[in-house]
Amino acid sequence: MNEAVDEAGWDVEPGDEIEPLVQAVGKLIKVCREAAGMRAAEFGDVMGYGEDMIRKMERGTRIPRPEFLDRADQVLNAQGHLRAFMKDMERARYPKKVRDLAQLEERAVEMLLYSSHYIHGLLQTPEYARGLFEMRQPAYSPHEVERGVAARAARKSVFERDPAPTLSFVQEQVTLDRPLGGKMVLRRQLEHLLEVGQLRNVTLQIMPTDREEHAGMQGLIEVLKFTDGTAIGRSEGAFNGRPVSSPRDLRILELRYGMIRAQALTPRESLAFIERQLGKL
């Protein structure tokens, strides 16, 4: 992958609802550049990019990174007008479904999360996420892999919120055994789980493979609850996998998740289990 291209930003997905905003920011960059009396090639030299990349950003076909806008604001003496869009462009560079999910997670005060095939996205290290994306079939392009890793890392800001949301995770034992990305990647991932599991607002439980009774055989479950009393949830094996928000449907998911938690190891037992798994690597 061309590192300069990657550092400059991300391509806009045609038809994405964020496209008009990216185009508006591109026009603003051009206005500020022309007001500063700089040609596109000259501006590119100062910023460390080629003229073609500058033109793409000004046309709105390339999403500028927040760091680019910060630097451009200084170079073009834009008086904060470019910096004002840094957060918007940070969000814009992720796929729409990731943006939508991140917005829900930012609003949630409680999350119930069960993952059966791999470590849940909010718990993944960048190296583990990369290993997961690189094994996708049909294969992702290098650009898609890096975009996915960056988007997943950005969602972890949920752990930095104040007040912090209440997070409950249940992970299948197999997700601790499968060395996606290699054994060293798995080692760091397990170490990260131990770190997160110590947080006061986090409950982390492991579902052992040898359990004879298991309420999670229908796959992933996610329930996000909000301050106004509403919630949204989904499960791979219920309601055709679509998100649901009705009290009746949510109750089904919560009952199923509650049973999974009861069948799993306790939080204390789970951390000890992870430590034992770590010792085997």
Side-chain angles (χ1 to χ4, degrees):
M1 179 172 55
N2 186 309
E3 292 184 2
V5 170
D6 183 53
E7 286 298 319
W10 307 95
D11 289 328
V12 178
E13 295 180 353
D16 193 322
E17 63 182 17
I18 206 72
E19 188 174 17
L21 177 59
V22 177
Q23 292 173 344
V25 172
K27 290 179 181 179
L28 180 59
I29 294 173
K30 183 176 181 180
V31 169
C32 292
R33 173 180 62 77
E34 292 177 342
M38 298 181 72
R39 293 177 289 104
E42 181 184 2
F43 178 50
D45 288 341
V46 174
M47 297 296 294
Y49 304 117
E51 179 181 358
D52 181 61
M53 185 58 61
I54 297 299
R55 297 289 188 187
K56 286 182 178 179
M57 283 190 278
E58 292 183 347
R59 289 196 302 268
T61 60
R62 193 73 171 174
I63 304 171
R65 285 183 178 274
E67 297 83 358
F68 179 92
L69 293 179
D70 186 36
R71 170 68 173 153
D73 196 282
Q74 179 183 0
V75 170
L76 301 176
N77 192 27
Q79 300 181 343
H81 294 298
L82 293 176
R83 288 194 183 101
F85 289 96
M86 290 174 61
K87 187 173 182 179
D88 293 305
M89 293 301 97
E90 176 70 26
R91 291 180 181 276
R93 65 194 182 111
Y94 305 130
K96 182 181 184 302
K97 64 179 181 179
V98 177
R99 294 198 306 268
D100 293 343
L101 177 57
Q103 289 177 352
L104 290 173
E105 291 173 344
E106 287 177 0
R107 290 177 46 216
V109 295
E110 182 179 2
M111 302 187 208
L112 311 178
L113 308 164
Y114 165 66
S115 186
S116 57
H117 298 305
Y118 49 81
I119 302 296
H120 191 276
L122 289 177
L123 296 173
Q124 292 175 12
T125 65
E127 296 79 11
Y128 183 94
R130 180 171 287 103
L132 183 62
F133 284 117
E134 287 180 342
M135 62 163 282
R136 293 293 181 92
Q137 294 296 329
Y140 281 173
S141 69
H143 176 80
E144 290 173 318
V145 170
E146 293 306 316
R147 191 180 195 191
V149 172
R152 189 145 293 180
R155 287 172 53 203
K156 298 180 73 171
S157 61
V158 68
F159 291 101
E160 302 169 0
R161 280 174 42 194
D162 186 16
T166 299
L167 304 173
S168 172
F169 297 92
V170 179
Q171 288 286 154
E172 282 293 329
Q173 175 184 339
V174 67
T175 66
L176 310 183
D177 297 331
R178 185 171 290 124
L180 298 179
K183 287 189 176 181
M184 290 305 297
V185 170
L186 179 59
R187 167 174 283 277
R188 176 59 192 131
Q189 178 62 67
L190 296 183
E191 291 172 344
H192 180 64
L193 291 182
L194 291 176
E195 294 169 3
V196 174
Q198 299 292 339
L199 297 177
R200 295 179 62 185
N201 63 310
V202 174
T203 300
L204 176 58
Q205 295 178 251
I206 303 301
M207 174 66 80
T209 303
D210 63 3
R211 283 292 192 259
E212 294 183 2
E213 297 181 341
H214 192 336
M217 298 306 293
Q218 291 177 289
L220 172 148
I221 296 176
E222 294 184 327
V223 178
L224 279 61
K225 302 181 180 181
F226 311 111
T227 54
D228 61 1
T230 62
I232 189 168
R234 71 184 182 101
S235 172
E236 292 174 340
F239 317 115
N240 295 317
R242 71 180 188 278
V244 296
S245 57
S246 72
R248 177 184 176 278
D249 293 344
L250 288 168
R251 184 59 177 163
I252 291 174
L253 295 184
E254 288 188 66
L255 284 172
R256 190 174 297 168
Y257 185 80
M259 184 61 70
I260 292 172
R261 291 189 67 181
Q263 294 167 337
L265 298 176
T266 67
R268 185 183 297 273
E269 292 170 340
S270 296
L271 292 181
F273 187 92
I274 295 172
E275 289 180 341
R276 290 195 296 272
Q277 294 298 103
L278 189 57
K280 296 177 182 178
L281 295 177

